[in-house]
Amino acid sequence: MSGLEKIADNLAFGGRQQQWLHNSEALSCRMRFSVYLPPAAEHSKLPWLLWLSGLTCTDENFSHKAGAQRLAAELGVALVMPDTSPRGEGVADDSAYDLGQGAGFYVNAEREPWRGHYRMYDYVSQELPALLRRHFPLNGRCAIAGHSMGGHGALVCAIRRPQDYVSASAFSPICQPTQAPWGRKAFAAYLGNDETAWAEWDASLLLAERGCPLPLRVDIGLADAFLAEQLRPDALQQAARRGDTRLELHRHAGYDHSYYFVASFIDQHLRFHARHLLA
Amino acid sequence: MSGLEKIADNLAFGGRQQQWLHNSEALSCRMRFSVYLPPAAEHSKLPWLLWLSGLTCTDENFSHKAGAQRLAAELGVALVMPDTSPRGEGVADDSAYDLGQGAGFYVNAEREPWRGHYRMYDYVSQELPALLRRHFPLNGRCAIAGHSMGGHGALVCAIRRPQDYVSASAFSPICQPTQAPWGRKAFAAYLGNDETAWAEWDASLLLAERGCPLPLRVDIGLADAFLAEQLRPDALQQAARRGDTRLELHRHAGYDHSYYFVASFIDQHLRFHARHLLA
């Protein structure tokens, strides 16, 4: 049983901004997610954007800070915001901000103490979309996007299962986690020390090997303190060239890693996805 | 000495979203505020909107959640967001959310233990604007707006000192605090039990007595749980009629007290103020 329960419902730009709880089978815990349903959702099933958030975030950061609902309402594109990890007292955690709760990294963990709950890839790519299409006015046309760790998640999902999406985009993504401190720490914990197993969770390695038939867009701020060490967009760009992938990579002078950067360009991402979602 | 210190600076929509600390004389403590400077502030002094927030808020709620920077950048209107009370270890407080820190009510307190620090009216109407005009690229054209307790504050400031503003607006304001539980509790604590002294902090009583030469706009959500008991917009509307004041009062079916309501209509408020700020 999904145990689906609505815990918040606010009118926003003529549509509904809602927060829900449900029992996740993939994660073996109760999970919260947010959804924004534009006014047009009252009359028909809408295409939708799945947004994956970054380290320390919940379903609320994008909902509160990105300012995406205004244009989503106008375009008739629904927004879905999952949490960033399993949660709860029985769920393994770590005192660091970049491991454990709030830091699921959108992988399926294989190591103790994580593997019982930390299956965020299965959750965001399979279980949650199925639940959403069953219970919400959403159709089969889905785009995926995210920020930082969530940008990594969005790219990995899109490259691994391009048949599930019409387009993918990312703000400030961790483009090559196997070579970045955040990624190496998380992958060692969740996946183990055999680095060959990490390759299937690294967007740059995946893209170089498989390519991606989807239109991809990535935006990076050049004043992002994490740019060189953690994000490594050059690796993604090189992989896209090798894989013959349509990647638009936009570099923005002066912008940093914050949601002010996301808010500044979210309209461009929504219009990018709408071209494919509404085609 | 103002002790002005910049503690955050993010590029947003081509402008600067900044957070500052300074020593407040009116409040006898160190205070934080946020400011958004549109791109045009690099070349000239801009008109600005002073935003007063509601109970429990800081300078960050509007900065993060209202989505105002996008249109402010386009219009060339700066935004200034003060905190909602004095702060710090030496500042009197109360365990309730609606009294003490986070709940200054934009009055000058006259009673112990509050009167040493709680002079938010002097702070937002005098000290902070003077500091801003001295240190930031802001000109003398200022509008004032706010939400809930901050809507009360914006209306009271505008009616008491109309010469300082070109226009005023409010979302979900506490229109008649002398008759509302939030207002009565705060006024009794800050001002004492003599209710005659409360009248000069009540927008409806002030407006009925003095009128207001400024264009005023108020937006209310009809699904606001606080509407009838705490906000009392009918009292403001009646006072405006008696005082021959230009009050636009917009009622919106389905909207509640949250920042999703503010975000949904902030563009309309910004355009309302821009008509007067840029005239």
Side-chain angles (χ1 to χ4, degrees), chain B residues 7-151:
Chain B
I7 55 172
D9 191 346
N10 303 90
L11 192 59
F13 297 94
R16 311 295 329 178
Q17 175 73 37
Q18 300 175 335
Q19 212 168 25
W20 294 81
L21 291 173
H22 75 113
N23 301 322
S24 166
E25 206 170 300
L27 305 177
S28 298
C29 66
R30 200 143 173 85
M31 288 293 287
R32 197 175 73 186
F33 65 89
S34 288
V35 61
Y36 177 68
L37 300 172
E42 288 180 29
H43 312 297
S44 55
K45 293 194 171 195
L46 299 184
W48 51 292
L49 175 68
L50 178 61
W51 174 270
L52 305 184
S53 288
L55 288 167
T56 76
C57 288
T58 70
D59 59 305
E60 293 189 331
N61 300 66
F62 183 82
S63 300
H64 289 165
K65 294 182 172 182
Q69 293 93 346
R70 184 186 54 82
L71 186 58
E74 185 185 318
L75 295 170
V77 171
L79 307 171
V80 174
M81 287 67 71
D83 204 345
T84 54
S85 77
R87 301 274 183 183
E89 279 187 26
V91 174
D93 199 6
D94 188 278
S95 59
Y97 75 98
D98 55 0
L99 191 67
Q101 295 188 32
F105 265 87
Y106 306 102
V107 302
N108 293 331
E110 291 165 13
R111 301 255 296 179
E112 295 298 350
W114 312 106
R115 69 192 181 122
H117 293 282
Y118 283 75
R119 302 188 65 79
M120 283 298 289
Y121 177 71
D122 284 352
Y123 177 66
V124 300
S125 70
Q126 303 279 341
E127 184 184 14
L128 186 62
L131 178 91
L132 287 160
R133 280 193 296 264
R134 201 157 58 238
H135 295 285
F136 292 83
L138 306 178
N139 68 26
R141 295 188 75 74
C142 177
I144 190 166
H147 174 239
S148 194
M149 173 183 77

Side-chain angles (χ1 to χ4, degrees), chain A residues 99-114:
Chain A
L99 191 66
Q101 295 189 31
F105 265 87
Y106 307 103
V107 302
N108 293 331
E110 292 165 12
R111 300 255 296 177
E112 296 296 350
W114 310 107

Side-chain angles (χ1 to χ4, degrees), chain A residues 131-144:
Chain A
L131 178 92
L132 288 160
R133 281 194 294 264
R134 202 158 57 239
H135 294 285
F136 292 82
L138 304 178
N139 67 28
R141 293 189 77 74
C142 178
I144 189 165

